[in-house]
Amino acid sequence: MDNIVIEKPPAAVWPAAKSLATCAVTTAVLLAQRRIHLPRAMTGRRIRFADGTTASVYRETVVDRGPTGDPAVLVVCFRLVLVRGRGHALFRLESILNTPLFVGFPGYVSKLWMTHDSRGTYRGIYEWDGPALAENYARTLWRVLALVCVRGSIHYRVLPGIRRDDFLRNPDAVAEAVGAAGDRAWWLPAQPVLSEAVPAVPGPTVPGPTVPGPTVPGATGATGATGATEPGPAAPQQTTPGPART
């Protein structure tokens, strides 16, 4: 693994706006193609970090894509302004609406959404194909987060040459490789989170727009282009006469 990428200042406003607009368009295409999924295998997994805080995974977002050639882990943290108590639960529900802000960026592979820790800090643990792409995303995201976050609370780290599951499975090796042992790093798990590869447990697909297919007339049970069952002509029913009333 190459050296860790320490954070740089946020991207300039106009390049960030352009990147976010492009991301939103790409996200719409991914939704239409039903390539965005929410696996459940990691949901509920608790992670204790080297700074002594603990958080849980409450959502995972994955995109169908080709093999990852240049893996990198990105960890982002921030604290929201004026979000307290039940507001955290509302934020977790609302945060699904933020998907277009990241899932369409070039190189995006997956994201683990973490609950807030005891200090009110949220984290996201991402896998990217390309550390430079991960850094560009983090610096762009900073511009958006700055609108709703405590000043000075936004940070990120990029770890080139490592996959997310390896990062969670062997954090001691990561710490040794980047010289972070004993640093109480906010981004580093304090102990192994995974003992083996995460099984491919399917989750819901984020629905895209539905394209109606033609109705296929015919016998009952025929299947149309949409995959739905098309009703055929109803068979006549016999009526059994009852006793006449006087």
Side-chain angles (χ1 to χ4, degrees), residues 21-193:
T22 302
C23 174
V25 172
T26 303
T27 300
V29 174
L30 294 172
L31 286 170
Q33 296 172 342
R34 299 181 183 272
R35 291 171 56 193
I36 304 175
H37 309 285
L38 305 174
R40 297 192 178 98
M42 290 292 294
T43 302
R45 186 97 47 158
R46 290 180 65 79
I47 301 178
R48 185 165 65 88
F49 292 90
D51 66 351
T53 61
T54 302
S56 300
V57 178
Y58 71 90
R59 184 183 300 131
E60 180 178 7
T61 305
V62 175
V63 170
D64 284 341
R65 61 191 313 278
T68 301
D70 188 12
V73 168
L74 166 68
V75 188
V76 176
C77 79
F78 58 89
R79 291 200 313 275
L80 295 169
V81 176
L82 301 179
V83 175
R84 303 288 187 276
R86 295 182 180 179
H88 288 293
L90 293 176
F91 170 75
R92 292 195 295 271
L93 289 174
E94 176 276 336
S95 63
I96 190 69
L97 301 178
N98 300 332
T99 302
L101 297 178
F102 65 87
V103 80
F105 269 81
Y108 172 83
V109 178
S110 68
K111 175 184 178 181
L112 296 179
W113 308 62
M114 308 295 299
T115 59
H116 66 289
D117 62 22
S118 58
R119 302 171 186 172
T121 298
Y122 282 91
R123 292 175 179 86
I125 301 176
Y126 302 76
E127 183 172 338
W128 288 80
D129 193 351
L133 296 175
E135 183 179 14
N136 176 68
Y137 161 75
R139 296 179 65 195
T140 301
L141 176 69
W142 195 323
R143 283 294 178 187
V144 179
L145 290 176
L147 301 175
V148 294
C149 288
V150 176
R151 186 178 180 88
S153 70
I154 304 169
H155 302 284
Y156 73 85
R157 293 292 185 275
V158 178
L159 306 171
I162 185 170
R163 298 180 185 275
R164 184 201 73 186
D165 286 359
D166 294 331
F167 170 72
L168 297 176
R169 187 180 298 111
N170 198 352
D172 288 342
V174 175
E176 182 178 355
V178 301
D183 272 359
R184 296 183 58 81
W186 62 266
W187 51 268
L188 182 68
Q191 58 193 27
V193 179

